[in-house]
Amino acid sequence: MLKLDTPLNPAATGADADAVRLQARAAEAAEKFEAFFIKQMMSQMRSATRALADDDSPLKNKVNEDMMDMADGLVADAMAGQRAFGIADLMLKQILPAAGLSPAAAASPSPGDESKQGMKP
C-alpha cells in the first residue's frame, strides 16, 4: 500500500533504518489524515443534502444514512490511498523536506499537470 523512496535493506545502518521507518510512519499518518479530511468533507456535503431533502426522501432514512456514511468512509480511504487530493503529499513535503515529493506524487502526476506537460510557455 505505501511505497518508499528508499528500499528496505536489512544491511542498512541503524540511522538509515530509523529514517526509513520514520518516512513510512509519516507517509501512513499523512494518508490517514487525508482520508479523515475527505471523509469529513463528504460528511458535510451529505448532511447538507439531507437538510435540503424532502421529509419522505430516502436520504432521511436512518438505515440509508448509516450505510451512506460507511460507504463515504470507504470511498475516502480509497481516494486517500490514491492521493487524490494531494494533501498527504503536501504534508510529507513539509514534514520530510529532505525526501522531496513522495513516490505516489512523482509516479502519478495530478490531472492538471498532465495537460501542461506538452504545452510550452
Side-chain angles (χ1 to χ4, degrees):
M1 180 167 84
L2 294 175
K3 298 176 184 174
L4 303 174
D5 285 337
T6 308
L8 294 177
N9 183 359
T13 64
D16 290 341
D18 287 343
V20 169
R21 219 175 298 123
L22 176 65
Q23 186 178 5
R25 290 178 63 201
E28 182 180 359
E31 187 175 311
K32 285 182 180 181
F33 178 80
E34 185 167 351
F36 174 77
F37 180 83
I38 294 170
K39 169 72 168 101
Q40 287 299 109
M41 185 179 63
M42 291 176 75
S43 176
Q44 290 299 315
M45 290 189 304
R46 184 92 48 208
S47 69
T49 303
R50 286 180 189 130
L52 296 173
D54 292 331
D55 289 333
D56 61 345
S57 171
L59 294 172
K60 292 214 174 181
N61 186 340
K62 183 66 176 161
V63 173
N64 290 345
E65 183 177 326
D66 292 340
M67 289 305 214
M68 291 305 287
D69 287 342
M70 187 170 56
D72 288 346
L74 295 173
V75 169
D77 289 341
M79 290 176 75
Q82 296 173 356
R83 308 274 175 96
F85 283 42
I87 296 169
D89 294 330
L90 290 174
M91 290 178 66
L92 289 174
K93 281 175 74 173
Q94 290 180 352
I95 294 171
L96 305 171
L101 282 175
S102 69
S108 59
S110 65
D113 293 341
E114 289 175 1
S115 63
K116 295 177 187 174
Q117 286 177 354
M119 300 175 67
K120 293 183 182 179

